[in-house]
Amino acid sequence: MQQFRKFMEGRNGSDQLLFALLIIYWPFSLAARFTGIRIFDSLALACLVFAIFRFLSKNKERRRAENQQFLQLWQPFARWAGQYLRRIREFKTHRYFKCPGCNQTLRLPAGKGKITIRCPKCDTTFDKRT
Ligand SMILES: [Zn+2]
């Protein structure tokens, strides 16, 4: 353990981009196995090699900048996925509606019957069953 710690001293180690590369590796690897198309094998190998390179790299500043770029690209998708998962989790307790006036998403408690909804953003009112 001490030797490994000494070996990793000054190296980048793991970050979000490393985990993303390792996750991306699997679909490429499986696609290569089931379709026999060699480009998938090459892409899987490229992901793995780049992940290992980043893990062992001593140029921390450059790796950190790459990780930041990745996070900026990833953030909109992560936000969308988070909202989607929240809707699934709250399926029994809440309903989501789009305001016809301003397209704002409104979250309301479920099971209240037919109600009149007033948008807090643009004051448009509309009827919906929750
Ligand atoms: Zn509105």
Side-chain angles (χ1 to χ4, degrees):
M1 197 64 204
Q2 195 68 27
Q3 282 180 322
F4 180 71
R5 193 169 291 149
K6 195 175 172 97
F7 174 74
M8 286 306 292
E9 217 171 70
R11 295 181 192 271
N12 188 47
S14 66
D15 56 14
Q16 292 90 344
L17 181 53
L18 177 97
F19 288 112
L21 286 166
L22 293 177
I23 289 168
I24 292 167
Y25 163 82
W26 288 105
F28 282 142
S29 178
L30 290 173
R33 178 160 297 169
F34 290 115
T35 63
I37 299 171
R38 294 193 56 82
I39 187 79
F40 289 128
D41 230 1
S42 305
L43 289 169
L45 187 66
C47 285
L48 205 58
V49 168
F50 189 48
I52 293 168
F53 164 75
R54 294 191 78 260
F55 186 73
L56 298 175
S57 173
K58 286 189 171 181
N59 191 349
K60 280 183 162 185
E61 217 166 279
R62 186 92 189 265
R63 302 294 85 83
R64 198 169 295 142
E66 288 168 359
N67 194 47
Q68 281 304 314
Q69 281 184 322
F70 163 71
L71 288 176
Q72 278 182 347
L73 287 173
W74 175 250
Q75 210 166 25
F77 177 75
R79 192 177 303 126
W80 173 84
Q83 287 171 348
Y84 191 76
L85 290 174
R86 183 179 176 190
R87 282 183 184 207
I88 291 172
R89 260 198 324 270
E90 295 179 343
F91 174 73
K92 285 184 178 175
T93 57
H94 291 85
R95 296 287 179 266
Y96 289 84
F97 300 104
K98 283 243 188 235
C99 168
C102 66
N103 243 7
Q104 172 77 32
T105 302
L106 305 171
R107 178 176 166 263
L108 297 154
K112 300 289 180 193
K114 191 174 180 183
I115 56 171
T116 301
I117 302 163
R118 187 180 59 78
C119 174
K121 192 177 171 187
C122 69
D123 275 349
T124 301
T125 55
F126 56 101
D127 292 335
K128 284 285 181 184
R129 182 172 295 281
T130 61

